[in-house]
Amino acid sequence: MRLLRPQLRRAALAAALTSLAALAGPALPARAATPAVAVLDGAHQDVSWQSPTYAKGTLGGPTSCPAAAQDPDGAVCGRFDLTVNVPSGYWDDNPEGGVPISVQWPHQTDDFDLYVYDANGKEVAESAGTADPEATVIPKASGTYHVLVVPYDVHGASVTLHAYLPKTADAGDLTSFSGGRGSYDIAAGPLKAKVDFLADDQLRLRAAPDGVLTDPAGSTIIRKQPELQSRTGSFDAGDYYGIRSGHVVLRVYKHPLRFGLYQADNRTAIWQEDAPLRWSTGGLRQSLVRGADEQFFGGGEQNGSFSHRDRTVHVANSTNWNEGGYNNSQPFYVSTAGYGVFRNTFAPGIYDFGSPVRTGQQERRLDAYYFTGDVKSVIGQYTALVGKPFMPPVYGLEPGDSDCYLHNANRGERHTTDALKVADGYQQNGMPLGWMLVNDGYGCGYENLPQTGEGLRKDHAQLGLWTQNGLPNQAEEVKAGVRVRKLDVAWVGNGYDFALNACDQAKAGIEDNSDARGFVWLPVSWAGAQRCGVLWSGDQSLSWDYIRWQIPTYAGATMSGIAYDTGDVGSIFRRDPKMYTRDLQWKAFLPTIMTMDGWAKDMTGKQQRDQQPWLDGEPYTSINRKYLQLKERLLPYMYTLSAEATRTGIGAVRPLALEYPDDPAALGPDAKYEFLAGPDFLVAPVYSDTSVRNGIHLPEGTWTDYWTGRTYQGPTTINDYSAPLDTLPVFVKGGAIVPMWPQGTLSWQNRDRGELDYDLYPQGDSSYTLYEDDGTTRQYATGASATQQVDVHAHGPVTTVKVGSSEGSYTGKPDARAYRFSVHGEPAPRLVVTRGGPLPELDSAAALDSADSGWYHDEATGVTHVKTPSFSTDDAFSLHLIH
């Protein structure tokens, strides 16, 4: 278990390294005065080193180690110098991509960490989790490296360090081919491979150089293997055998063994190996021809990017929370050539999307699932295999607040019930709050849990708990009111499973002991986590850069079927009023957000600061309130997108390239720092200290400025957009139909269920289907839900809005409700007619608010506001704006 939060250890490490010119300084964490040394070269293929025995650990990171001169024998921290001498180009096509290095110890309860620095003192590799052994790779190693082993939490133990130069070998000629009815066995000498067709457009390819096909992941990621698709056949084409299904042909080339997947015509390549499978001492890669315009997405959460052509993507256990990190990575990618690949493994991987495309994992086996179709279809197939995104409770889409109240050294002694004062603050400041974490599992416990939960529910917020290393009291805690769980990097469950079992357990713990839906957050995960949790990009310090790189991060995560990915509003470690407000603005358009309190200081690092959105005073409080209230009003839209994600695997936050694959600018530098919230909102965050936003790319279609009503015809790029602090650039797509809760709504729980609003942007014919259920229980899974279709027809002198009946039933469904429509971009109507006849024209918005029904045209904005009488939800009706 971790006794000091690993995020804090990492932050301390980063600060320390920044101040070091090189590892030879007086405070260096790595090199000893007389270090152990070794060389890896043509004559020396591997090396091992035994550390001294450590009576106890440091309970910290590299900065907890004494200077090397004060620890010449490595009695506190182990030090080792490694020189790698390899020919130029040695790593160009090596599956492991560098020197694997590991430390192993005898007692599972102990914990050592491993750090590697180059000759200039720059950290190039680390493994600082809780697994035994700790292992990492020194990428493209060449030169001298300083290895530091930190005995983090040990009790009389030593470690064995091992490093080696991986050797490579390639698959040879095909020696046997057999099978049928969806399953085929293939051999090339000792290498054995197996192909299983799982659908007309989906197959699994396994290969092992030693001939033994294993499945280390078991049922942890893929909980139920698909059945074989038996309707296949094979044929001999001379140079290759072909396996044909309904939609594709897999070619199995003979000299040497290679694979290629083709469309049903057996002429159009989907993917084609340009070289045989290559394996090394501890890795295996596949090499594919790259298309001239082929693009690549996926890899899970890749901090700072969403598109990967000409990039190398890592998928592994990582606690690098910053740009370039990949703590919620997934061994999956999707290509615009019409396919996607999932590697069924927990082993680290390196995916090089150069030419050729070389992808592989750090294990001597291949276990790959191939899906075919467009990008959305592939994401859907992938999530059907590992788990579709979970359906969150509606309060999970409201803002959350997190802090340690009991035994918080940063804030003085407090009690768990002090959280209620903060929840009251949200109410007093007119800001929604859906849930609160009232502890920190790193030494901050809780007391009076039932009373705390009861008090939070009075403020319409749910109780949550944070744990870093175990879930021993779930039944009691859930019965006390816990409805939210946050896990952390000490895994809670089996570390080799990347916390996936912990996520499943935490969700099940809520659901097994209540009628609620499990709602879980976690910062380090793997394929399948979308089925059980919100992924959170970890602990960062506030800066304009922090705001910038998160934009493509969360949009890009959607390309791996991650529907909920987010970061702390304003970060965890620092607070600046302007940057906090800019960060909150755009995150209001993410499905899930939270503040992380109790650890931040101001930008000078001197004054402790909490992170609630009213603490900076005006004008910041009013601006933050504006966007949080807008987020609350948009919950029907976001909730419907959540229901869509459970069916399709596609989350709400999308890169432009997902919806506009034929727009080359959607992959350009401007589009990288904007995103779509569902299909209808384009958000271009301000991520620098400016009041002007440049480089806003609008794809094809008509786009309306959400604040001014000005329309733009895409594709186009907007420069010099006026964006003062209170203005987030937001544009709405022509034809959009956006459901909203009534103005002033602060909670899903006490909202006015007798009214539903629609924001309309008429353009030709458009349609929208609203999804509703009770918002909290799992009854939706058995059909307790309702849908309501709205159609808008804007042609000539009449705009018609058709509201269908609400189809379905759920607990709490309103029998009747009134509707308010905001109709944008239309001239003032001459008449507004609905069932029962014309509605009265009123002279002001205030008059409309006080009337039972009617309409009012705002000349300043060009918006027509319509309020209908209350209609039965069982009945359809139409509204006509006659111009």
Side-chain angles (χ1 to χ4, degrees):
M1 105 173 40
R2 294 295 193 205
L3 302 180
L4 174 68
R5 297 185 65 217
Q7 301 96 317
L8 297 178
R9 292 194 304 125
R10 184 171 182 85
L13 169 61
L17 290 178
T18 300
S19 66
L20 292 174
L23 288 175
L28 59 85
R31 190 172 186 179
T34 56
V37 295
V39 174
L40 289 176
D41 58 18
H44 306 86
Q45 297 295 303
D46 65 86
V47 61
S48 294
W49 171 72
Q50 189 71 33
S51 79
T53 297
Y54 298 102
K56 63 179 181 179
T58 67
L59 299 182
T63 54
S64 299
C65 298
Q70 280 73 54
D71 189 24
D73 298 320
V76 180
C77 295
R79 295 175 174 87
F80 183 83
D81 275 15
L82 177 67
T83 297
V84 181
N85 185 7
V86 293
S88 176
Y90 185 90
W91 302 113
D92 287 351
D93 192 15
N94 187 293
E96 292 174 82
V99 169
I101 184 168
S102 63
V103 290
Q104 191 164 10
W105 54 91
H107 307 300
Q108 186 70 47
T109 54
D110 290 331
D111 187 3
F112 289 81
D113 292 334
L114 174 66
Y115 299 86
V116 183
Y117 306 87
D118 66 14
N120 296 316
K122 179 183 177 182
E123 183 185 322
V124 294
E126 75 166 62
S127 185
T130 59
D132 170 17
E134 291 284 5
T136 187
V137 172
I138 307 173
K140 298 184 177 180
S142 181
T144 298
Y145 297 90
H146 310 296
V147 181
L148 179 69
V149 178
V150 180
Y152 178 76
D153 184 16
V154 303
H155 311 84
S158 64
V159 296
T160 301
L161 181 146
H162 183 245
Y164 64 88
L165 279 179
K167 300 178 181 179
T168 61
D170 293 341
D173 289 344
L174 181 75
T175 53
S176 68
F177 175 90
S178 62
R181 298 188 59 79
S183 185
Y184 298 83
D185 294 304
I186 298 159
L191 179 141
K192 298 294 188 295
K194 190 174 188 65
V195 177
D196 291 325
F197 276 78
L198 308 174
D200 284 337
D201 55 359
Q202 186 180 136
L203 61 92
R204 181 186 188 186
L205 172 61
R206 287 177 284 172
D210 63 1
V212 181
L213 299 177
T214 60
D215 188 1
S219 61
T220 305
I221 304 174
I222 303 171
R223 291 182 290 190
K224 183 179 180 181
Q225 287 286 348
E227 297 292 332
L228 284 177
Q229 165 61 279
S230 61
R231 295 188 301 275
T232 63
S234 63
F235 58 92
D236 190 340
D239 290 339
Y240 63 87
Y241 288 101
I243 306 173
R244 186 184 299 278
S245 72
H247 293 166
V248 297
V249 173
L250 180 70
R251 294 184 180 183
V252 182
Y253 293 93
K254 301 177 181 179
H255 308 292
L257 173 64
R258 292 176 296 123
F259 298 93
L261 189 64
Y262 283 70
Q263 293 182 9
D265 60 11
N266 196 24
R267 293 189 297 271
T268 307
I270 300 172
W271 57 261
Q272 171 67 60
E273 290 185 346
D274 75 317
L277 294 175
R278 169 170 287 189
W279 57 90
S280 59
T281 311
L284 183 149
R285 70 99 178 99
Q286 183 181 46
S287 183
L288 303 178
V289 176
R290 189 179 75 174
D293 301 313
E294 189 175 2
Q295 302 293 333
F296 304 90
F297 312 100
E301 178 196 288
Q302 295 288 328
N303 289 347
S305 65
F306 76 90
S307 178
H308 307 316
R309 182 180 171 94
D310 293 321
R311 295 185 65 251
T312 297
V313 169
H314 294 261
V315 291
N317 167 6
S318 168
T319 54
N320 178 2
W321 311 126
N322 299 307
E323 188 168 16
Y326 40 91
N327 45 295
N328 286 300
S329 55
Q330 298 195 1
F332 164 81
Y333 74 88
V334 57
S335 162
T336 56
Y339 76 95
V341 188
F342 162 63
R343 299 290 177 87
N344 182 36
T345 180
F346 284 110
I350 302 176
Y351 300 171
D352 181 351
F353 294 111
S355 182
V357 175
R358 291 169 173 159
T359 63
Q361 310 297 139
Q362 300 295 309
E363 59 183 0
R364 280 169 54 96
R365 59 186 287 272
L366 173 71
D367 188 351
Y369 290 75
Y370 297 88
F371 318 96
T372 62
D374 63 23
V375 171
K376 285 188 176 181
S377 171
V378 166
I379 295 171
Q381 293 176 65
Y382 166 58
T383 52
L385 186 70
V386 302
K388 282 286 196 291
F390 74 104
M391 185 66 186
V394 66
Y395 49 78
L397 303 183
E398 295 179 318
D401 188 287
S402 175
D403 201 352
C404 160
Y405 288 92
L406 189 66
H407 311 311
N408 186 335
N410 295 327
R411 295 296 186 268
E413 186 60 30
R414 299 185 294 184
H415 298 282
T416 306
T417 52
D418 288 333
L420 304 181
K421 301 172 187 176
V422 175
D424 291 343
Y426 279 90
Q427 292 287 311
Q428 293 159 6
N429 285 280
M431 298 178 180
L433 175 68
W435 51 277
M436 289 188 74
L437 302 175
V438 298
N439 74 315
D440 177 346
Y442 293 89
C444 174
Y446 59 79
E447 61 186 5
N448 300 319
L449 203 60
Q451 298 93 315
T452 304
E454 182 180 1
L456 288 178
R457 289 189 292 275
K458 290 179 180 177
D459 281 329
H460 311 295
Q462 297 297 317
L463 174 64
L465 289 179
W466 181 348
T467 179
Q468 108 277 11
N469 68 343
L471 297 163
N473 303 310
Q474 286 205 89
E476 294 178 10
E477 291 166 345
V478 172
K479 290 173 183 176
V482 170
R483 296 294 180 269
V484 182
R485 283 282 186 192
K486 182 180 175 297
L487 314 179
D488 219 310
V489 296
W491 305 125
V492 187
N494 184 341
Y496 292 103
D497 291 350
F498 284 81
L500 192 54
N501 61 343
C503 184
D504 285 332
Q505 289 171 21
K507 184 173 185 288
I510 294 173
E511 296 184 351
D512 291 346
N513 295 284
S514 74
D515 64 354
R517 303 171 199 172
F519 189 58
V520 180
W521 285 55
L522 64 165
V524 184
S525 63
W526 199 245
Q530 46 267 75
R531 70 191 182 219
C532 57
V534 174
L535 307 186
W536 160 71
S537 60
D539 289 350
Q540 297 102 10
S541 292
L542 182 62
S543 68
W544 291 112
D545 233 23
Y546 163 76
I547 298 172
R548 174 191 57 80
W549 66 254
Q550 288 182 101
I551 302 165
T553 300
Y554 307 139
T558 300
M559 306 300 267
S560 295
I562 298 170
Y564 309 99
D565 196 15
T566 189
D568 299 330
V569 174
S571 84
I572 179 175
F573 289 127
R574 295 195 295 190
R575 185 173 180 115
D576 171 83
K578 185 183 292 185
M579 282 190 275
Y580 180 96
T581 294
R582 284 300 196 192
D583 196 43
L584 182 145
Q585 286 175 356
W586 74 273
K587 285 178 176 170
F589 283 85
L590 303 182
T592 51
I593 61 171
M594 73 169 169
T595 62
M596 191 70 89
D597 308 300
W599 295 273
K601 295 183 179 180
D602 64 13
M603 300 302 283
T604 70
K606 296 179 180 179
Q607 183 180 354
Q608 297 283 352
R609 296 296 308 273
D610 280 334
Q611 296 280 43
Q612 280 80 34
W614 62 84
L615 295 178
D616 293 314
E618 297 298 343
Y620 310 104
T621 297
S622 293
I623 299 171
N624 295 338
R625 179 187 300 113
K626 166 185 170 180
Y627 285 93
L628 291 177
Q629 288 192 2
L630 176 59
K631 176 177 177 59
E632 190 74 16
R633 289 199 70 201
L634 285 171
L635 279 187
Y637 177 76
M638 281 292 181
Y639 197 68
T640 297
L641 288 170
S642 291
E644 177 186 320
T646 65
R647 300 190 305 271
T648 67
I650 307 297
V653 181
R654 306 169 185 180
L656 271 62
L658 180 62
E659 297 292 342
Y660 299 92
D662 298 324
D663 183 351
L667 292 166
D670 291 338
K672 181 176 181 178
Y673 297 111
E674 55 192 49
F675 65 94
L676 297 168
D680 297 315
F681 287 95
L682 187 149
V683 182
V686 177
Y687 53 88
S688 63
D689 189 5
T690 180
S691 60
V692 174
R693 178 62 153 87
N694 292 313
I696 301 174
H697 175 68
L698 301 180
E700 65 177 350
T702 301
W703 296 89
T704 300
D705 187 318
Y706 189 73
W707 309 112
T708 68
R710 179 180 175 181
T711 59
Y712 299 84
Q713 197 64 38
T716 189
T717 299
I718 303 173
N719 291 311
D720 300 320
Y721 180 91
S722 178
L725 186 60
D726 68 344
T727 301
L728 168 72
V730 178
F731 302 85
V732 188
K733 187 177 181 179
I737 301 170
V738 181
M740 303 179 77
W741 283 340
Q743 189 75 40
T745 300
L746 295 181
S747 170
W748 69 276
Q749 203 164 21
N750 64 352
R751 71 185 188 275
D752 182 358
R753 298 171 186 265
E755 178 184 321
L756 182 64
D757 298 353
Y758 276 97
D759 213 19
L760 308 178
Y761 296 80
Q763 184 178 349
D765 297 329
S766 57
S767 182
Y768 178 85
T769 301
L770 173 74
Y771 172 86
E772 298 175 289
D773 60 31
D774 66 26
T776 60
T777 77
R778 302 187 301 281
Q779 293 180 15
Y780 76 93
T782 58
S785 62
T787 58
Q788 186 175 35
Q789 182 169 316
V790 177
D791 298 292
V792 176
H793 306 280
H795 297 284
V798 179
T799 297
T800 299
V801 181
K802 295 183 177 179
V803 179
S805 60
S806 178
E807 303 293 335
S809 179
Y810 60 88
T811 301
K813 177 181 175 179
D815 296 325
R817 60 187 171 202
Y819 296 83
R820 293 187 70 151
F821 299 95
S822 298
V823 187
H824 294 255
E826 296 289 319
R830 178 173 53 84
L831 202 63
V832 177
V833 180
T834 188
R835 191 171 65 190
L839 296 176
E841 180 180 3
L842 304 172
D843 60 4
S844 68
L848 186 63
D849 288 341
S850 60
D852 292 332
S853 63
W855 64 276
Y856 162 71
H857 183 77
D858 188 334
E859 292 290 347
T861 62
V863 178
T864 300
H865 300 273
V866 181
K867 185 178 182 180
T868 75
S870 183
F871 294 130
S872 169
T873 52
D874 290 334
D875 297 335
F877 70 94
S878 294
L879 180 76
H880 307 279
L881 283 75
I882 302 171
H883 304 293

